[in-house]
Amino acid sequence: MQKEDFSLSEEYEKCCVAAGPECGAVATFTGLVRQFEVSTSVSGLHLEHYPGMTEKSMENIVAKARNRWSLQHVRVVHRIGVLEAGSQIVLVIVASSHRPDAFAACEYIMDFLKTEAVFWKKEIRSDGEIWIKSTSHDYERRDGWAGEPSATVKRW
Amino acid sequence: MQKEDFSLSEEYEKCCVAAGPECGAVATFTGLVRQFEVSTSVSGLHLEHYPGMTEKSMENIVAKARNRWSLQHVRVVHRIGVLEAGSQIVLVIVASSHRPDAFAACEYIMDFLKTEAVFWKKEIRSDGEIWIKSTSHDYERRDGWAGEPSATVKRW
Amino acid sequence: MRVNVLFFASLKEDLGCAEIELQLSELASRADLFDCLTNELGSARVAPLFAENVSIAINQSIEKGEFTLQSGDEVAFLPPITGG
Amino acid sequence: MRVNVLFFASLKEDLGCAEIELQLSELASRADLFDCLTNELGSARVAPLFAENVSIAINQSIEKGEFTLQSGDEVAFLPPITGG
C-alpha cells in the first residue's frame, strides 16, 4: 500500500531474481485510471483504505492464490490517495514454473482484489464526485473461481 | 522476431502511450527458459523459425485476438537462436479498457503461440540435445477457446 | 469504557466525521452502540449507518451478527467495498 | 524448372542439409517431388520426410493434399511445430 507510483520494471526485475531458476512464466497486470467512463470524463480517482484491515484483506487473497497454485513469487502493489487519469493504480506480478498457473493466479488475485480487498473508490468527474459501486460482473468473475478445478479447460 | 533480448519496461511504456486515455488494463506475459525440466538440467534452448512464415503465423494469431476482443494495443516480441537458461523468450503485452479483455487476449495469444506459431525448440541438456514436442495439454488449452464466448464465466 | 468508532468513505462524508470516541457501558451490544451513536450525533446524521449494505468491523473483523464490545475495541462502519 | 526445397529443425539435422535446389518437370506433383528428392539424396536419407507428422509448405502455406509445383516455388518440409 503506497501513495507513490510504482515501477513495473523494478518489480519485474525483483520477481525474476526472487523466483529463481525454475521460473518459466511471469504474468503481470497493471490497472490504470481510465479517462472516460461511458460518456463522462474522469479527471481522477480517490482511493480510500482502512489501514491494517486493507493489508490483511490483500494478504488473505495472496495466501489463497499461493495455496491454490504452485507459485514462485507473488507481488501486489496498490496505490491509495488521489490518482490522476492515466495513473497506475494496482500491479500484480506472479511467477511460476508454468504458464497456466501464472495466468490463473494473476487473474484470480485481480478478481478478488476487485471484490474483497478493503478499498473504496470515488471518481472525480467533470459533473462532480461519485463513490463507485462494484458491478455484478465483478462478483460473477469472482464466483467463477468457486469449487474445485475441473479437468476440462473452459473459456468464455 | 529478434535475436536480441527485449525490455518489458520499454515495451510497457510504449504500450501505455499507444493505448491512450481509455486504457484501464495492461496484461503482460513473459516466458523464460527454465533451468530444469523434470529432473534434467537445461543449459539453454535453441529456437528455430522459418523466416516469413513464422511472422505470418504470429500476425494471424494477433489478428484473431484483435477480432475477438476490444483491444487498444497488442505487442508480441519473440526471440530466436540460442538462449541460455534464465533468458527471456517471449513477451506478450495487451492493453484494453477493461480487465477481462486484457487477460483473455493475453492468454489466448500465448495458447496459440504455443500451438500454431511456426517455431521449433531444442533443449540443450546435460545429457544431450533434444527437439521438444508440444504437449497434449497445450492443444487442450488452445481448443478451450473454440466456439462462441458464453455468458457464464467458467474457470478450471 | 471508551470505544473508538471509525467511519469510512461515503459514511465519513455523510456523517461529516472520520472518528468518534464513545463512552459505553461494559459489554455494550450492537443496539447499545447504535443508541449511543444516535445520542451523540442525532438521528438524522446517523441514518446512513442503518443501511442494510453497511458492514461493522470490530478490531478489523467483519461482525455480521450480535456482538459485545470491550474496552479499547476499534469499531468501524464500512460502506460496501469497491475493491482495488 | 528449378524449385528450392527447405528443411527445418530436426529434418535439417536428419538430412544433414538445410536447402536443396531440384530440377523438376513443369507441374511436378507431390509424388514427383518425393521421387526427385529420393534420387538426389538416397532413400535412407529422405526416409524422415515421409513421416506422417511432417508438413509440406508451398510458398509458406501448408498444403495437406495434392499440389502441382511451378517454377520458382519455395517448398519446405516442416516437423511438427512446437510453438513460441
Side-chain angles (χ1 to χ4, degrees):
Chain A
M1 210 84 47
Q2 56 188 53
K3 286 213 165 83
E4 304 72 44
D5 201 4
F6 51 78
S7 153
L8 169 60
S9 142
E10 266 174 42
E11 298 298 341
Y12 174 73
E13 299 294 332
K14 282 189 226 161
C15 170
C16 287
V17 171
E22 297 200 41
C23 173
V26 180
T28 81
F29 179 84
T30 309
L32 306 162
V33 182
R34 269 191 308 279
Q35 210 168 329
F36 301 97
E37 281 303 328
V38 194
S39 59
T40 315
S41 158
V42 174
S43 67
L45 207 58
H46 173 85
L47 263 142
E48 189 169 329
H49 77 303
Y50 181 173
M53 190 169 177
T54 304
E55 287 84 341
K56 266 199 290 188
S57 67
M58 287 169 68
E59 284 158 16
N60 186 35
I61 293 167
V62 171
K64 284 193 290 183
R66 282 189 168 277
N67 193 43
R68 184 159 174 159
W69 291 282
S70 172
L71 309 176
Q72 282 141 7
H73 185 76
V74 181
R75 172 96 167 116
V76 179
V77 185
H78 211 296
R79 294 179 69 192
I80 49 171
V82 174
L83 306 176
E84 283 175 29
S87 303
Q88 301 185 126
I89 308 170
V90 58
L91 172 66
V92 178
I93 297 193
V94 176
S96 177
S97 292
H98 300 284
R99 181 170 103 258
D101 286 18
F103 270 121
C106 189
E107 197 164 0
Y108 175 96
I109 290 171
M110 275 309 303
D111 286 350
F112 279 79
L113 277 180
K114 284 279 172 186
T115 48
E116 303 199 346
V118 179
F119 288 102
W120 300 274
K121 287 191 220 174
K122 188 163 67 170
E123 277 176 7
I124 305 160
R125 298 179 174 195
S126 48
D127 57 353
E129 298 188 353
I130 183 163
W131 288 100
I132 56 182
K133 295 182 170 64
S134 283
T135 67
S136 62
H137 191 64
D138 283 328
Y139 287 100
E140 282 162 24
R141 288 182 62 83
R142 180 198 62 184
D143 296 342
W145 294 102
E148 288 301 302
S150 83
T152 329
V153 180
K154 291 279 182 187
R155 314 291 188 169
W156 62 94
Chain B
M1 209 83 51
Q2 56 187 52
K3 286 212 165 86
E4 304 72 44
D5 201 4
F6 52 78
S7 154
L8 170 59
S9 143
E10 267 175 42
E11 298 298 340
Y12 175 73
E13 299 295 330
K14 282 190 226 162
C15 170
C16 288
V17 172
E22 298 200 40
C23 174
V26 180
T28 81
F29 179 84
T30 310
L32 306 161
V33 182
R34 269 191 307 279
Q35 210 168 331
F36 300 97
E37 281 304 329
V38 194
S39 59
T40 314
S41 157
V42 174
S43 67
L45 206 60
H46 173 86
L47 264 142
E48 188 169 328
H49 77 303
Y50 181 174
M53 190 169 176
T54 303
E55 286 85 339
K56 267 199 289 188
S57 67
M58 289 169 67
E59 284 158 16
N60 186 36
I61 292 166
V62 171
K64 282 193 293 183
R66 282 190 167 277
N67 193 44
R68 184 159 176 159
W69 290 282
S70 172
L71 308 176
Q72 282 141 7
H73 184 76
V74 181
R75 172 97 166 117
V76 179
V77 186
H78 211 296
R79 294 178 71 193
I80 49 171
V82 174
L83 305 176
E84 281 174 30
S87 304
Q88 302 184 125
I89 309 171
V90 59
L91 172 67
V92 178
I93 297 193
V94 176
S96 177
S97 292
H98 300 284
R99 181 170 103 260
D101 286 18
F103 270 122
C106 189
E107 197 164 359
Y108 175 96
I109 289 170
M110 273 311 302
D111 286 350
F112 279 79
L113 277 180
K114 284 279 175 185
T115 48
E116 302 199 346
V118 178
F119 287 103
W120 299 275
K121 287 192 216 169
K122 189 163 64 170
E123 276 176 10
I124 305 161
R125 298 179 173 195
S126 49
D127 57 353
E129 299 188 354
I130 183 163
W131 288 99
I132 56 182
K133 295 181 170 63
S134 283
T135 67
S136 61
H137 190 64
D138 284 328
Y139 287 101
E140 281 161 24
R141 290 181 62 83
R142 179 198 62 185
D143 296 342
W145 294 102
E148 287 301 302
S150 85
T152 330
V153 179
K154 291 278 183 189
R155 312 293 188 168
W156 62 96
Chain C
M1 64 174 189
R2 297 203 156 270
V3 163
N4 218 26
V5 181
L6 311 175
F7 307 108
F8 286 94
S10 58
L11 292 176
K12 178 166 68 184
E13 291 180 354
D14 290 344
L15 273 72
C17 79
E19 192 167 350
I20 187 172
E21 203 184 50
L22 298 181
Q23 182 68 47
L24 289 163
S25 53
E26 289 288 328
L27 301 178
S29 68
R30 181 183 278 263
D32 297 335
L33 172 68
F34 275 92
D35 286 347
C36 184
L37 281 164
T38 306
N39 285 338
E40 287 289 325
L41 300 166
S43 58
R45 209 163 146 209
V46 297
L49 301 181
F50 288 84
E52 212 188 329
N53 60 14
V54 167
S55 302
I56 297 179
I58 314 290
N59 301 324
Q60 310 199 341
S61 267
I62 301 288
E63 289 293 343
K64 290 192 173 158
E66 280 307 319
F67 51 77
T68 52
L69 296 174
Q70 297 185 305
S71 182
D73 275 352
E74 179 180 285
V75 177
F77 283 85
L78 316 178
I81 55 174
T82 44
Chain D
M1 64 175 188
R2 298 204 155 268
V3 165
N4 217 26
V5 182
L6 310 175
F7 307 108
F8 285 95
S10 58
L11 292 176
K12 179 165 68 182
E13 291 181 353
D14 290 342
L15 273 72
C17 79
E19 190 168 350
I20 187 172
E21 203 184 52
L22 298 181
Q23 181 68 44
L24 289 165
S25 52
E26 288 290 326
L27 302 177
S29 67
R30 181 183 276 263
D32 298 334
L33 172 67
F34 275 92
D35 285 347
C36 184
L37 281 164
T38 307
N39 284 337
E40 288 288 325
L41 299 166
S43 57
R45 212 164 146 206
V46 297
L49 302 181
F50 287 84
E52 214 187 329
N53 60 13
V54 167
S55 302
I56 297 178
I58 314 289
N59 300 323
Q60 309 198 342
S61 268
I62 301 287
E63 288 294 344
K64 289 190 174 161
E66 280 308 318
F67 52 77
T68 52
L69 296 174
Q70 295 185 308
S71 183
D73 276 352
E74 180 179 282
V75 177
F77 283 84
L78 314 178
I81 56 174
T82 44

Coordinates of all heavy atoms in Angstrom, one line a residue, chain A residues 21-67:
Chain A
P21 N 15.7 -20.2 -10.7 CA 15.9 -20.8 -12.0 C 14.8 -21.7 -12.5 O 14.8 -22.2 -13.6 CB 17.2 -21.6 -11.7 CG 17.2 -21.8 -10.3 CD 16.6 -20.6 -9.7
E22 N 13.8 -22.0 -11.6 CA 12.7 -22.9 -12.1 C 11.5 -22.0 -12.6 O 10.5 -22.6 -13.0 CB 12.2 -23.8 -11.0 CG 13.3 -24.7 -10.5 CD 12.8 -25.9 -9.8 OE1 11.8 -26.5 -10.2 OE2 13.4 -26.3 -8.8
C23 N 11.7 -20.7 -12.7 CA 10.7 -19.9 -13.2 C 10.6 -19.9 -14.7 O 11.7 -19.7 -15.3 CB 10.9 -18.4 -12.7 SG 9.8 -17.2 -13.4
G24 N 9.5 -20.2 -15.2 CA 9.3 -20.2 -16.7 C 8.3 -19.2 -17.2 O 8.2 -19.0 -18.4
A25 N 7.6 -18.6 -16.3 CA 6.4 -17.8 -16.7 C 6.2 -16.7 -15.7 O 6.0 -16.9 -14.5 CB 5.2 -18.7 -16.8
V26 N 6.1 -15.5 -16.2 CA 5.7 -14.3 -15.4 C 4.5 -13.6 -16.0 O 4.6 -13.1 -17.1 CB 6.9 -13.3 -15.2 CG1 6.5 -12.2 -14.3 CG2 8.1 -14.0 -14.7
A27 N 3.4 -13.6 -15.3 CA 2.2 -12.8 -15.7 C 2.1 -11.6 -14.9 O 2.3 -11.6 -13.7 CB 1.0 -13.7 -15.6
T28 N 1.8 -10.4 -15.5 CA 1.6 -9.2 -14.8 C 0.3 -8.6 -15.2 O -0.2 -8.8 -16.3 CB 2.7 -8.2 -15.0 OG1 2.5 -7.4 -16.2 CG2 4.1 -8.8 -15.0
F29 N -0.3 -7.8 -14.3 CA -1.4 -7.0 -14.6 C -1.3 -5.6 -14.0 O -0.9 -5.5 -12.8 CB -2.7 -7.6 -14.0 CG -3.9 -6.7 -14.4 CD1 -4.5 -6.8 -15.6 CD2 -4.4 -5.8 -13.5 CE1 -5.6 -6.0 -15.9 CE2 -5.4 -4.9 -13.8 CZ -6.0 -5.1 -15.0
T30 N -1.5 -4.6 -14.8 CA -1.5 -3.2 -14.3 C -2.8 -2.6 -14.5 O -3.3 -2.6 -15.7 CB -0.4 -2.4 -15.0 OG1 0.9 -3.1 -14.9 CG2 -0.2 -1.0 -14.3
G31 N -3.4 -2.0 -13.5 CA -4.7 -1.3 -13.6 C -4.4 0.2 -13.6 O -3.5 0.7 -12.9
L32 N -5.0 0.9 -14.6 CA -4.8 2.3 -14.7 C -6.1 3.1 -14.6 O -7.2 2.5 -14.8 CB -4.3 2.6 -16.2 CG -3.0 1.8 -16.6 CD1 -2.9 1.8 -18.1 CD2 -1.8 2.4 -15.9
V33 N -6.0 4.4 -14.2 CA -7.2 5.2 -14.1 C -7.6 5.6 -15.6 O -6.9 6.3 -16.3 CB -7.0 6.5 -13.3 CG1 -8.2 7.3 -13.2 CG2 -6.4 6.2 -11.9
R34 N -8.8 5.1 -16.0 CA -9.3 5.5 -17.3 C -9.8 6.9 -17.3 O -10.4 7.4 -16.3 CB -10.5 4.6 -17.7 CG -10.1 3.4 -18.4 CD -11.4 2.7 -19.0 NE -12.4 2.5 -18.0 CZ -12.4 1.5 -17.1 NH1 -11.4 0.6 -17.1 NH2 -13.3 1.3 -16.2
Q35 N -9.7 7.6 -18.5 CA -10.1 9.0 -18.5 C -11.6 9.1 -18.8 O -12.1 10.2 -18.6 CB -9.3 9.7 -19.6 CG -9.0 11.1 -19.3 CD -8.0 11.7 -20.2 OE1 -7.1 11.0 -20.7 NE2 -8.1 13.0 -20.5
F36 N -12.2 8.1 -19.3 CA -13.6 8.1 -19.6 C -14.4 7.0 -19.0 O -13.9 5.8 -19.1 CB -13.8 8.2 -21.1 CG -13.2 9.4 -21.7 CD1 -11.9 9.2 -22.3 CD2 -13.8 10.6 -21.7 CE1 -11.3 10.3 -22.9 CE2 -13.1 11.7 -22.3 CZ -11.9 11.5 -22.9
E37 N -15.5 7.2 -18.4 CA -16.4 6.2 -18.0 C -17.7 6.4 -18.8 O -18.4 7.4 -18.5 CB -16.7 6.2 -16.5 CG -15.6 5.6 -15.7 CD -15.3 4.2 -16.0 OE1 -16.2 3.5 -16.4 OE2 -14.1 3.8 -15.9
V38 N -18.0 5.5 -19.7 CA -19.2 5.7 -20.6 C -19.0 7.0 -21.2 O -18.0 7.3 -21.9 CB -20.5 5.5 -19.8 CG1 -21.7 5.4 -20.8 CG2 -20.5 4.2 -19.0
S39 N -19.9 8.0 -20.9 CA -19.7 9.3 -21.6 C -19.2 10.4 -20.7 O -19.1 11.5 -21.1 CB -21.1 9.7 -22.2 OG -22.0 9.8 -21.2
T40 N -18.8 10.0 -19.5 CA -18.3 11.0 -18.6 C -16.8 11.1 -18.5 O -16.1 10.1 -18.5 CB -18.8 10.7 -17.2 OG1 -20.2 10.3 -17.3 CG2 -18.7 11.9 -16.2
S41 N -16.3 12.3 -18.5 CA -14.9 12.5 -18.4 C -14.5 12.4 -16.9 O -15.1 13.0 -16.1 CB -14.5 13.8 -19.0 OG -13.3 14.2 -18.5
V42 N -13.4 11.6 -16.7 CA -12.9 11.4 -15.3 C -11.6 12.0 -15.2 O -10.6 11.7 -15.9 CB -12.9 9.9 -15.0 CG1 -12.2 9.7 -13.6 CG2 -14.2 9.2 -15.1
S43 N -11.4 13.0 -14.2 CA -10.1 13.6 -14.1 C -9.2 12.9 -13.1 O -8.0 13.0 -13.1 CB -10.2 15.1 -13.8 OG -10.8 15.2 -12.5
G44 N -9.8 12.1 -12.2 CA -9.0 11.3 -11.3 C -9.9 10.4 -10.4 O -11.1 10.3 -10.5
L45 N -9.2 9.7 -9.5 CA -9.8 8.7 -8.7 C -9.3 8.9 -7.3 O -8.1 9.1 -7.1 CB -9.4 7.3 -9.2 CG -10.3 6.1 -9.0 CD1 -11.6 6.3 -9.6 CD2 -9.6 4.9 -9.6
H46 N -10.1 8.9 -6.3 CA -9.7 8.9 -4.9 C -9.9 7.5 -4.3 O -11.0 7.0 -4.3 CB -10.5 10.0 -4.1 CG -10.3 10.0 -2.7 ND1 -9.2 10.7 -2.1 CD2 -10.8 9.3 -1.7 CE1 -9.2 10.5 -0.8 NE2 -10.2 9.7 -0.5
L47 N -8.8 7.0 -3.8 CA -8.8 5.6 -3.3 C -8.6 5.7 -1.8 O -7.6 6.1 -1.3 CB -7.7 4.8 -3.9 CG -8.1 3.9 -5.0 CD1 -7.0 3.9 -6.1 CD2 -8.4 2.5 -4.5
E48 N -9.6 5.2 -1.0 CA -9.5 5.2 0.4 C -9.4 3.8 0.9 O -9.9 2.9 0.3 CB -10.8 5.8 1.0 CG -10.8 6.1 2.5 CD -11.9 6.9 3.0 OE1 -12.5 7.8 2.3 OE2 -12.3 6.7 4.2
H49 N -8.6 3.7 2.0 CA -8.4 2.3 2.6 C -8.6 2.4 4.1 O -8.7 3.5 4.6 CB -7.1 1.7 2.1 CG -5.9 2.2 2.9 ND1 -5.6 3.6 2.9 CD2 -5.0 1.6 3.6 CE1 -4.5 3.7 3.6 NE2 -4.1 2.6 4.1
Y50 N -8.6 1.2 4.7 CA -8.7 1.1 6.2 C -7.3 0.5 6.6 O -7.1 -0.7 6.5 CB -9.8 0.2 6.5 CG -10.1 0.0 8.0 CD1 -11.3 -0.7 8.4 CD2 -9.3 0.5 9.0 CE1 -11.6 -1.0 9.7 CE2 -9.6 0.3 10.4 CZ -10.7 -0.5 10.7 OH -11.0 -0.7 12.0
P51 N -6.4 1.4 7.1 CA -5.1 0.9 7.4 C -5.1 -0.3 8.4 O -5.8 -0.3 9.4 CB -4.4 2.1 8.1 CG -5.2 3.3 7.6 CD -6.6 2.8 7.4
G52 N -4.4 -1.3 8.0 CA -4.4 -2.6 8.8 C -5.4 -3.6 8.2 O -5.0 -4.6 7.8
M53 N -6.6 -3.2 8.1 CA -7.6 -4.2 7.6 C -7.4 -4.4 6.1 O -7.6 -5.5 5.6 CB -9.1 -3.7 7.9 CG -10.1 -4.7 7.6 SD -11.7 -4.3 8.2 CE -12.7 -5.6 7.6
T54 N -7.1 -3.3 5.4 CA -6.9 -3.5 3.9 C -5.7 -4.4 3.7 O -5.8 -5.3 2.8 CB -6.7 -2.1 3.3 OG1 -7.8 -1.2 3.6 CG2 -6.5 -2.2 1.8
E55 N -4.6 -4.2 4.4 CA -3.4 -5.0 4.2 C -3.8 -6.5 4.5 O -3.4 -7.4 3.7 CB -2.3 -4.6 5.2 CG -1.6 -3.3 4.8 CD -2.3 -2.1 5.3 OE1 -3.5 -2.1 5.6 OE2 -1.7 -1.0 5.4
K56 N -4.6 -6.7 5.6 CA -4.9 -8.1 5.9 C -5.8 -8.7 4.8 O -5.6 -9.9 4.4 CB -5.8 -8.1 7.2 CG -4.9 -8.3 8.4 CD -5.8 -8.8 9.6 CE -6.7 -7.7 10.1 NZ -7.4 -8.0 11.4
S57 N -6.7 -7.9 4.2 CA -7.6 -8.5 3.2 C -6.7 -8.8 1.9 O -7.0 -9.8 1.3 CB -8.7 -7.4 2.8 OG -8.1 -6.3 2.2
M58 N -5.7 -8.0 1.7 CA -4.9 -8.4 0.5 C -4.0 -9.6 0.8 O -3.8 -10.4 -0.1 CB -4.0 -7.1 0.1 CG -4.9 -6.1 -0.5 SD -4.1 -4.5 -0.7 CE -2.9 -4.9 -2.0
E59 N -3.4 -9.6 2.0 CA -2.6 -10.8 2.3 C -3.4 -12.1 2.2 O -2.9 -13.1 1.8 CB -2.0 -10.6 3.7 CG -0.8 -9.6 3.7 CD -0.6 -9.1 5.1 OE1 -1.1 -9.7 6.1 OE2 0.1 -8.0 5.2
N60 N -4.6 -12.0 2.6 CA -5.5 -13.2 2.6 C -5.7 -13.6 1.1 O -5.7 -14.8 0.9 CB -6.8 -12.8 3.3 CG -7.8 -13.9 3.4 OD1 -7.3 -15.1 3.6 ND2 -9.0 -13.7 3.2
I61 N -5.9 -12.7 0.2 CA -6.1 -13.0 -1.2 C -4.9 -13.7 -1.8 O -5.0 -14.7 -2.4 CB -6.5 -11.8 -2.0 CG1 -7.9 -11.2 -1.6 CG2 -6.5 -12.1 -3.5 CD1 -8.2 -9.8 -2.0
V62 N -3.7 -13.1 -1.5 CA -2.5 -13.7 -2.0 C -2.3 -15.1 -1.4 O -1.9 -16.1 -2.1 CB -1.3 -12.8 -1.6 CG1 0.1 -13.5 -2.0 CG2 -1.4 -11.5 -2.4
A63 N -2.6 -15.3 -0.1 CA -2.4 -16.6 0.6 C -3.3 -17.6 -0.1 O -2.9 -18.8 -0.3 CB -2.7 -16.5 2.0
K64 N -4.5 -17.2 -0.5 CA -5.4 -18.2 -1.1 C -4.9 -18.6 -2.5 O -5.0 -19.8 -2.9 CB -6.8 -17.6 -1.3 CG -7.6 -17.6 0.1 CD -9.1 -17.3 -0.2 CE -9.3 -15.9 -0.6 NZ -10.8 -15.5 -0.8
A65 N -4.3 -17.6 -3.2 CA -3.8 -17.9 -4.5 C -2.5 -18.9 -4.4 O -2.4 -19.8 -5.1 CB -3.4 -16.6 -5.2
R66 N -1.7 -18.6 -3.4 CA -0.5 -19.4 -3.2 C -0.9 -20.8 -2.8 O -0.2 -21.8 -3.1 CB 0.4 -18.8 -2.1 CG 1.2 -17.6 -2.6 CD 2.2 -17.3 -1.5 NE 3.2 -16.3 -1.9 CZ 4.3 -16.7 -2.5 NH1 4.6 -17.9 -2.8 NH2 5.2 -15.8 -2.9
N67 N -2.0 -21.0 -2.1 CA -2.5 -22.2 -1.7 C -3.1 -23.0 -2.9 O -3.0 -24.3 -2.9 CB -3.6 -22.0 -0.6 CG -3.9 -23.3 0.1 OD1 -3.0 -24.0 0.5 ND2 -5.2 -23.5 0.3

